[in-house]
Amino acid sequence: MNLLLLEDGDFIAADTVQLSGRRLKHLLEVHRVAVGDSLRAGRLGGLMGHGQVIQLDALSATLEVSVDQPPPAKLPLTLLLALPRPKMLRRVLQTVSSMGVPRLILLNSYRVEKSFWQTPFLEPAAVREQLILGLEQARDTVLPEVIIEKRFKPFVEDQLPALAANTLGLVGHPGDYPACPRAVEQPITLAIGPEGGWIPYEVEKLQQAGLQPVQLGERILRVETAVTALLARLF
Amino acid sequence: MNLLLLEDGDFIAADTVQLSGRRLKHLLEVHRVAVGDSLRAGRLGGLMGHGQVIQLDALSATLEVSVDQPPPAKLPLTLLLALPRPKMLRRVLQTVSSMGVPRLILLNSYRVEKSFWQTPFLEPAAVREQLILGLEQARDTVLPEVIIEKRFKPFVEDQLPALAANTLGLVGHPGDYPACPRAVEQPITLAIGPEGGWIPYEVEKLQQAGLQPVQLGERILRVETAVTALLARLF
């Protein structure tokens, strides 16, 4: 937790918060704070600055908060991701949030196992929890938007062309394609497939929607690693 | 498992292997192979090609193996990493192996908790297990070398200058430093710090050994994400 992220419900006065639960535990056990200590804090969806501990016991911490800095800029990106397996999903949500992706679309694909859609990790509160952990890691305050699209064809045919318009549209896909470009200066729409990759029909539909296949080399990377590697190269 | 990795002990004849245990389970439960099926296989430390299932039951699988392709090239890189916490260590070992790092040095740092050095995940068999998973993921056959250096100062003073000679030496470190370069054409020695970063004394010692600090932006990334992002940008 490199940033103490504060929500509206934490405020007991205009510049005072009271914390318990996970964040209190983290302050006590990891940061080992004492009264008078100051640490980086930010308001969810708002500015960042510092919080100073003014009261502390086993049940709660009270901090005086002062925020005046904007959070870091987001990437000019819409990321489409074939729904990963549940354990990977949680880590990918943290990665996406910490790297500054503003919009993530979780999409069905032929190679996404049907059972993955049943995971409790897809419930809004569970998604939000992982996104928050990513923001706390990276020092950001703005939650990414996460959109769930369980039907590939209607989404790719009816919505993706408008989403991808006026952006550089890319599909990360192993094969005989151009290398993924570097340090792109324009907004990007990037689609990353499931373990085992998109099937040819899906690549074709994504191409028709305006996305061009690019590759990262012979090595097959886990989804989480591929997301990070593609974003680090593109931006 | 995108590559079935075969070890010397698996061979019961010059081109025939017999498998049981983890790989048999994976063949049956994930690949759902049948007699006659062919899948990508490679010999640890050697060539890659295919294996065809010629016998299969609940206790063992026998495959006829034919290999003639070299594994993918490694990155021209020595990676120094402050020892991560045990759970992260396992994932980092997989990432390093799948991305093609040929040599990893796990180093002490002021902010590495002493208890991390006691983890069973640092035992040679446990390290090897994670490296093998990374090779199977990426389709590579050559294990990275992993070196453990429990003492920062003697290593950085006495060994690092020679290791870093004739390479581009870099320290990934947040702060007011030049941005990490892109698409570098020469061999690299890259040091990545622990959670919380190197302390100033360590950055100074790494600089004296020939490594220059570079940064990746304001966002603080988890070690695993930072490794992937730096490698994707550098190569």
Side-chain angles (χ1 to χ4, degrees):
Chain A
M1 191 165 82
N2 297 307
L3 181 81
L4 177 65
L5 206 50
L6 306 167
E7 308 204 22
D8 288 350
D10 299 325
F11 283 81
I12 55 173
D15 59 357
T16 312
V17 293
Q18 194 162 51
L19 305 177
S20 58
R22 177 183 69 89
R23 289 167 299 170
L24 174 64
K25 190 164 184 274
H26 197 92
L27 291 180
L28 290 171
E29 294 176 7
V30 180
H31 290 273
R32 297 185 186 118
V33 296
V35 168
D37 286 358
S38 178
L39 67 163
R40 284 173 189 262
R43 189 156 186 163
L44 192 65
L47 297 173
M48 312 197 300
H50 288 84
Q52 189 174 27
V53 182
I54 55 174
Q55 170 274 325
L56 184 69
D57 59 37
L59 296 176
S60 73
T62 310
L63 289 88
E64 211 169 83
V65 178
S66 129
V67 294
D68 57 1
Q69 303 146 33
K74 296 285 189 193
L75 301 174
L77 171 72
T78 296
L79 179 62
L80 270 75
L81 205 59
L83 181 68
R85 63 178 59 245
K87 203 175 147 189
M88 177 65 81
L89 170 65
R90 300 181 76 196
R91 291 219 304 273
V92 166
L93 288 169
Q94 279 192 41
T95 302
V96 157
S97 173
S98 68
M99 291 195 77
V101 175
R103 181 156 59 172
L104 171 68
I105 300 172
L106 293 168
L107 186 59
N108 196 27
S109 151
Y110 183 81
R111 293 210 176 103
V112 170
E113 288 181 32
K114 284 204 175 59
S115 66
F116 294 176
W117 290 105
Q118 309 307 321
T119 174
F121 297 149
L122 264 183
E123 284 168 19
V127 168
R128 189 176 191 276
E129 184 187 343
Q130 298 305 318
L131 298 176
I132 293 270
L133 291 175
L135 296 181
E136 290 179 346
Q137 165 67 43
R139 292 190 187 143
D140 188 357
T141 65
V142 182
L143 283 168
E145 179 186 11
V146 176
I147 299 164
I148 292 176
E149 291 289 350
K150 287 197 189 178
R151 296 175 64 211
F152 179 88
K153 186 161 173 273
F155 171 76
V156 172
E157 284 185 350
D158 304 337
Q159 295 184 57
L160 186 54
L163 266 177
N166 304 314
T167 72
L168 177 63
L170 302 172
V171 188
H173 195 60
D176 187 17
Y177 297 111
C180 176
R182 293 176 187 271
V184 173
E185 299 280 340
Q186 70 190 101
I188 293 175
T189 306
L190 171 66
I192 299 178
E195 284 176 56
W198 304 106
I199 61 171
Y201 165 82
E202 290 168 342
V203 175
E204 197 180 302
K205 296 302 279 182
L206 291 167
Q207 282 181 294
Q208 284 166 9
L211 275 53
Q212 298 311 314
V214 292
Q215 50 83 22
L216 264 189
E218 305 171 67
R219 295 175 179 276
I220 312 292
L221 302 177
R222 282 179 301 175
V223 170
E224 187 196 8
T225 311
V227 167
T228 303
L230 284 161
L231 299 189
R233 192 170 157 118
L234 286 167
F235 294 104
Chain B
M1 190 165 83
N2 297 307
L3 181 80
L4 177 66
L5 206 51
L6 306 168
E7 307 203 23
D8 288 348
D10 299 324
F11 282 81
I12 56 173
D15 59 357
T16 312
V17 293
Q18 195 162 51
L19 304 177
S20 58
R22 178 183 68 89
R23 288 167 299 169
L24 174 65
K25 191 163 183 276
H26 198 92
L27 290 180
L28 290 171
E29 294 176 8
V30 180
H31 290 274
R32 296 184 188 119
V33 296
V35 168
D37 286 358
S38 179
L39 67 163
R40 283 174 191 261
R43 188 156 188 165
L44 192 66
L47 297 173
M48 312 196 302
H50 287 84
Q52 189 174 28
V53 181
I54 56 175
Q55 171 274 325
L56 186 68
D57 59 39
L59 295 177
S60 74
T62 309
L63 290 87
E64 211 168 82
V65 178
S66 128
V67 294
D68 56 2
Q69 302 147 34
K74 296 284 189 194
L75 301 174
L77 173 69
T78 295
L79 180 61
L80 268 75
L81 206 59
L83 182 67
R85 62 178 61 245
K87 205 175 146 188
M88 177 65 81
L89 171 65
R90 300 181 75 195
R91 292 219 304 273
V92 166
L93 288 169
Q94 280 192 40
T95 302
V96 156
S97 173
S98 68
M99 291 196 78
V101 175
R103 180 156 59 171
L104 170 67
I105 300 173
L106 293 168
L107 186 59
N108 197 27
S109 151
Y110 183 81
R111 293 210 176 102
V112 170
E113 288 181 31
K114 284 204 176 59
S115 65
F116 294 177
W117 290 105
Q118 310 306 323
T119 175
F121 297 149
L122 263 183
E123 283 167 20
V127 168
R128 190 175 190 276
E129 184 186 344
Q130 299 305 317
L131 297 176
I132 293 271
L133 292 175
L135 296 181
E136 290 178 347
Q137 165 68 41
R139 292 190 187 142
D140 189 357
T141 65
V142 181
L143 283 168
E145 179 185 11
V146 176
I147 298 164
I148 293 176
E149 291 289 350
K150 287 197 190 179
R151 295 174 66 211
F152 180 88
K153 187 161 173 272
F155 171 76
V156 172
E157 285 186 350
D158 304 338
Q159 296 184 56
L160 185 55
L163 266 177
N166 304 314
T167 71
L168 177 63
L170 302 172
V171 188
H173 195 60
D176 188 17
Y177 297 113
C180 177
R182 294 175 186 271
V184 173
E185 299 279 340
Q186 70 191 102
I188 293 175
T189 305
L190 171 66
I192 299 177
E195 284 177 56
W198 304 105
I199 60 170
Y201 166 81
E202 291 168 341
V203 174
E204 199 179 301
K205 296 303 279 183
L206 292 167
Q207 283 182 291
Q208 285 166 9
L211 276 54
Q212 297 311 313
V214 292
Q215 51 82 22
L216 265 187
E218 303 172 70
R219 295 174 179 276
I220 313 292
L221 302 177
R222 281 180 301 175
V223 171
E224 186 195 8
T225 311
V227 168
T228 303
L230 284 162
L231 299 188
R233 191 171 159 119
L234 286 167
F235 295 104

